[in-house]
Amino acid sequence: MAERIVSDVLTKPDVALEMTLRPSLFSEFTGQARVKERLEITVAAARQRNEAIDHVLLSGPPGLGKTTLANIIAKAMGANLKSTNGPTIEKAGDLAGLLTNLEEGDVLFIDEIHRLQKTIEEYLYPAMEDFKLDIIIDQGPNARSVRLNLPRFTLIGATTRSGLLTAPLLTRFGVTERLDYYSAEQLCQIVIRAARLLNIEIEEVGAQEIARRSRGTPRIANNLLRRVRDFAQVRADGRITKTIADQALCILEIDENGLDQMDKRILEAVIVKFGGGPVGLSSLAVAVGEEPDTLEEVYEPYLIMEGYLKRTAQGRMATEISYKKLGLKPSGTQPGLF
């Protein structure tokens, strides 16, 4: 459905496409200049000392390049990368299997690390700090603890919800970096590079049109590029111009500000159904037929950054921009709108 294009792209990424377009070197990575510079220095220093780099935590909204940076770091270190994600590690044995199969200098990448079970997380503490793993063998009176030595490895964690990480886990990351949304100019460079790799003929103004409607997110920009390519192939001569990009994005119901139909449903629900707010996350999720986690991780960050929503202790509230966007007038009872 067109109204869920954003959530589908960010929660169910096209792995084959991402592998094709993913930069493999720091020099190929566009945007996040300060983050990239700090990581390059960290990697260079570790290589000079012939050591594994400190554990790294990458946070930020989905689709901004956390997995890509993990791959770049591993390649820059000349290390093997082993990937998993928090929800798939269901028991201590799963984590023990991952850790004991690592070799000296390897990188273990855990996506959605905030979704690790707390009992599993506790096994990470000695592994990260002392490179030792304590496992329990047998049960009941025969239970005994065995300590295994682990090779020095680097854990790279990625999270969209750094606030959900416990303090003991946070303090064990030597490097913490947050990725922010990209500018339209940076996304334009990413779209042009992706078009070149996919053999898509595109004008710079066409790339700019796609970039400015991509919600500051490279993954969305790359996906929209493919969708616009299909339109250009069927309805035009295959070349993506500004006009073609605009027509294609209108069919996809992506407006000039990058909002899709679900964004507008969220704003309309807050304004019409809940009088402009405040409204709780669960109530809003039921009203628009979306999962609370998807609203909080995928839609809200961009709507808040662009000033359409604000989050208060009482709940979500619409702003003046939201009313103007939907062509609605605020009720006189909503506190603090103007």
Side-chain angles (χ1 to χ4, degrees):
M1 294 173 64
E3 69 180 16
R4 296 180 185 272
I5 186 171
V6 171
S7 62
D8 286 347
V9 170
L10 295 181
T11 60
K12 304 169 187 175
D14 186 327
V15 177
L17 175 67
E18 292 205 344
M19 290 301 293
T20 301
L21 301 180
R22 180 171 289 160
S24 59
L25 303 171
F26 281 116
S27 59
E28 298 174 352
F29 189 90
T30 301
Q32 313 293 341
R34 292 297 180 88
V35 172
K36 184 170 71 172
E37 182 181 14
R38 289 192 291 265
L39 289 175
E40 282 186 285
I41 292 171
T42 300
V43 168
R47 294 203 66 173
Q48 288 177 10
R49 296 192 300 268
N50 198 27
E51 296 176 355
I53 66 170
D54 289 337
H55 304 301
V56 180
L57 178 66
L58 302 173
S59 64
L64 299 188
K66 297 184 289 294
T67 303
T68 298
L69 280 174
N71 280 271
I72 290 174
I73 290 170
K75 183 171 183 178
M77 289 296 299
N80 295 317
L81 178 75
K82 298 189 178 180
S83 300
T84 185
N85 59 72
T88 64
I89 304 176
E90 297 179 346
K91 53 185 185 295
D94 297 335
L95 180 64
L98 287 168
L99 293 174
T100 53
N101 282 318
L102 294 175
E103 297 180 1
E104 190 77 19
D106 279 359
V107 173
L108 175 62
F109 175 63
I110 303 181
D111 199 6
E112 299 182 272
I113 194 170
H114 62 275
R115 296 178 63 184
L116 273 178
Q117 298 178 35
K118 296 299 177 276
T119 53
I120 305 299
E121 185 182 298
E122 290 176 1
Y123 280 89
L124 271 179
Y125 301 159
M128 294 174 69
E129 199 164 25
D130 303 320
F131 300 99
K132 298 184 184 298
L133 180 64
D134 295 313
I135 58 174
I136 304 297
I137 299 177
D138 291 333
Q139 296 178 344
N142 295 323
R144 63 187 188 278
S145 176
V146 176
R147 170 161 284 196
L148 302 177
N149 293 321
L150 299 173
R152 294 190 69 86
F153 69 96
T154 296
L155 173 65
I156 301 180
T159 176
T160 56
R161 307 276 299 280
S162 57
L164 296 183
L165 293 179
T166 62
L169 183 58
L170 274 173
T171 56
R172 284 169 170 81
F173 285 102
V175 180
T176 57
E177 298 288 356
R178 176 174 176 80
L179 277 61
D180 292 318
Y181 287 108
Y182 290 62
S183 68
E185 292 76 17
Q186 292 168 339
L187 286 177
C188 183
Q189 296 176 38
I190 290 171
V191 169
I192 291 173
R193 175 183 179 273
R196 185 176 67 251
L197 293 174
L198 297 173
N199 295 317
I200 300 172
E201 192 175 359
I202 189 170
E203 295 180 359
E204 184 171 350
V205 287
Q208 289 171 352
E209 189 67 18
I210 294 172
R212 73 184 189 88
R213 299 197 194 189
S214 297
R215 303 168 70 94
T217 307
R219 188 183 295 167
I220 292 178
N222 288 334
N223 184 269
L224 291 182
L225 172 65
R226 289 201 306 165
R227 306 290 290 274
V228 174
R229 172 192 61 182
D230 294 343
F231 179 89
Q233 179 181 325
V234 173
R235 297 285 181 88
D237 61 359
R239 183 181 180 84
I240 298 177
T241 64
K242 184 178 187 299
T243 301
I244 292 298
D246 178 64
Q247 291 174 357
L249 293 169
C250 285
I251 287 179
L252 293 171
E253 298 181 325
I254 305 290
D255 73 8
E256 64 276 5
N257 301 116
L259 303 190
D260 70 356
Q261 288 302 300
M262 180 56 73
D263 290 304
K264 293 173 183 176
R265 283 181 62 183
I266 293 169
L267 298 180
E268 186 176 13
V270 174
I271 293 171
V272 177
K273 295 182 179 180
F274 300 102
V279 54
L281 178 63
S282 298
S283 298
L284 182 57
V286 171
V288 299
E290 187 58 272
E291 291 295 322
D293 285 350
T294 302
L295 285 187
E296 194 166 26
E297 295 180 17
V298 174
Y299 289 101
E300 270 193 356
Y302 185 74
L303 292 175
I304 291 173
M305 184 188 75
E306 293 296 301
Y308 293 103
L309 279 182
K310 61 180 178 180
R311 190 183 297 173
T312 69
Q314 291 75 34
R316 281 70 179 164
M317 295 183 67
T319 64
E320 181 182 357
I321 300 175
S322 296
Y323 284 86
K324 290 180 177 178
K325 181 70 177 176
L326 300 183
L328 299 172
K329 292 185 178 180
S331 64
T333 59
Q334 188 185 5
L337 185 60
F338 300 110

